[in-house]
Amino acid sequence: MNNVVLILFLFGVLFSSTFSLNDAYAAIDNPTATASFDDEDSDGSGGTFDQIQKPEGITTVVIGDNTYALVTSYGNQGVQIIDITTPGSPTVTASIHGNADPRIFHELVGPHDITTVVIGDNTYALVASSHMRTSMGVQIIDITTPG
C-alpha cells in the first residue's frame, strides 16, 4: 500500500502543482465493494460463473472497448473469462474447461497462474498448470475474440 501512495504522490508532484500526500491517501482510504460472486452464481444475464471454484490466479486484459478478468480455477480445472467493463455488473464471457477436451486444453488441469500477451493483432492467455503428475505445463489460448 505504501508503494501505491508513493507512486500517486510522485505522479502528483510531477504533473500537478496542487497535489498533496493527503490526496494520495484519500484516493485509497475509502475502498468500496463493487461486485462479488461465487462459483455457480448467475451473472444476471443468463451466464453462470462456472470456472471459479478455488481460484488461483487472475489477470486483466483490454480487448477492443472491453476489459476482461481472466481467472484460473484449480477446483474446476479451467479458466473463466469475465467482462468487467461495467464493474458493478460483471458478465460471463467464456468458460474454458481443461477436462472438456484434453486434446485441446490438456494443460489446464490444475491451473494456477495466468497472464496475457498481445502478438500482432491477437491476444493470448498463457496459463501455468501443475497438478500432481497429471499435468505440469503451459497452455496458450487465443482469446482475441473472447466470447
Side-chain angles (χ1 to χ4, degrees):
M1 183 160 124
N2 289 335
N3 290 340
V4 172
V5 172
L6 178 61
I7 290 168
L8 288 172
F9 178 72
L10 291 174
F11 183 81
V13 169
L14 292 173
F15 298 104
S16 171
S17 60
T18 61
F19 191 84
S20 71
L21 188 55
N22 287 338
D23 293 332
Y25 276 110
I28 58 172
D29 227 12
N30 299 310
T32 303
T34 305
S36 62
F37 42 86
D38 292 324
D39 193 48
E40 299 303 324
D41 282 354
S42 171
D43 68 2
S45 298
T48 303
F49 297 103
D50 62 350
Q51 286 296 307
I52 57 172
Q53 182 185 38
K54 297 183 183 176
E56 292 279 331
I58 189 167
T59 191
T60 58
V61 64
V62 176
I63 301 174
D65 293 332
N66 293 32
T67 302
Y68 298 93
L70 286 71
V71 182
T72 61
S73 169
Y74 192 86
N76 294 116
Q77 300 180 8
V79 174
Q80 184 88 71
I81 301 177
I82 305 164
D83 187 336
I84 60 168
T85 305
T86 305
S89 299
T91 56
V92 174
T93 302
S95 298
I96 303 167
H97 305 275
N99 56 4
D101 187 346
R103 294 170 295 151
I104 298 173
F105 301 115
H106 59 278
E107 293 300 334
L108 283 184
V109 178
H112 59 83
D113 200 10
I114 188 166
T115 191
T116 59
V117 63
V118 176
I119 302 173
D121 293 334
N122 293 337
T123 304
Y124 299 92
L126 289 77
V127 184
S129 299
S130 62
H131 180 63
M132 307 256 187
R133 287 171 265 193
T134 318
S135 171
M136 291 182 274
V138 174
Q139 183 75 57
I140 301 173
I141 305 166
D142 187 343
I143 59 168
T144 304
T145 307

